[in-house]
Amino acid sequence: MRCPFCGNIDTQVKDSRPAEDHVAIRRRRFCPACGGRFTTYERVQLRDLVVIKSSGRREPFDRDKLERSIRIAMQKRPIEPERIDQMISGIVRRLESMGETDIPSKVIGEIVMETLARIDTVAYVRFASVYKNFQAADDFDKFVAELRPAKEDASEG
Ligand SMILES: [Zn+2]
């Protein structure tokens, strides 16, 4: 695994342990070249998912993008990081077990909203309000950008 700090590919695993209720392995890694330390997660990938946007465009499912949008919606909420990891893994497992490799972006958004609604109302409202525009724009990066400002108290009713 390449060191994210210096690019050295010869890094060492210092510690491996189960995470997220045994659906992932968390590895602490060390880079002997620069002394950097970082963490990787190993997870089962049941199948390669493809997202179909409302424009009909297809792109590979990107767990990191999903995670980013959820973490932004969860910003400053009193939820354990571990709980958020579990939630994201749960969403991905649901997607992977849907029986289809091609999944409309709309379905993903709905599953995320459903999950957030059960866990944290504020995060749900943040996500859902931006998601409406997202469906029109169909642009995930824009979606993430719109989620970013902390406008919790600037509600327009
Ligand atoms: Zn390094």
Side-chain angles (χ1 to χ4, degrees):
M1 178 72 64
R2 188 183 289 278
C3 170
F5 305 109
C6 73
N8 168 35
I9 56 170
D10 190 22
T11 56
Q12 299 166 358
V13 174
K14 294 313 239 183
D15 176 55
S16 295
R17 58 191 174 88
E20 300 168 27
D21 199 22
H22 291 260
V23 302
I25 307 277
R26 181 178 189 273
R27 299 192 200 282
R28 289 294 296 154
R29 293 176 184 264
F30 171 73
C31 172
C34 73
R37 289 169 193 278
F38 59 102
T39 303
T40 56
Y41 287 88
E42 178 182 315
R43 295 186 172 85
V44 173
Q45 181 154 351
L46 294 177
R47 51 178 97 217
D48 292 324
L49 299 175
V50 173
V51 180
I52 306 172
K53 302 192 154 198
S54 58
S55 62
R57 206 147 47 86
R58 298 155 59 89
E59 61 178 43
F61 172 73
D62 183 343
R63 184 196 164 102
D64 291 341
K65 275 189 181 180
L66 175 72
E67 181 168 343
R68 223 182 313 147
S69 69
I70 290 172
R71 288 200 184 278
I72 291 168
M74 289 285 198
Q75 243 171 26
K76 295 181 182 158
R77 299 302 302 154
I79 314 283
E80 296 283 317
E82 182 84 348
R83 179 88 182 84
I84 298 176
D85 287 338
Q86 277 177 17
M87 186 184 113
I88 293 162
S89 291
I91 291 170
V92 174
R93 272 202 304 280
R94 268 183 73 179
L95 295 173
E96 284 175 337
S97 59
M98 284 175 71
E100 300 281 345
T101 49
D102 296 3
I103 302 175
S105 55
K106 194 180 165 190
V107 170
I108 299 175
E110 278 160 9
I111 290 176
V112 172
M113 284 196 284
E114 196 185 301
T115 308
L116 284 175
R118 282 203 305 269
I119 292 172
D120 187 85
T121 313
V122 171
Y124 163 72
V125 170
R126 276 182 199 164
F127 191 94
S129 63
V130 176
Y131 180 74
K132 274 189 202 164
N133 301 330
F134 168 55
Q135 276 186 298
D138 199 21
D139 178 339
F140 203 90
D141 295 325
K142 192 178 172 207
F143 173 60
V144 170
E146 285 184 31
L147 263 173
R148 199 174 300 278
K151 285 183 182 168
E152 320 170 25
D153 300 319
S155 139
E156 290 158 24

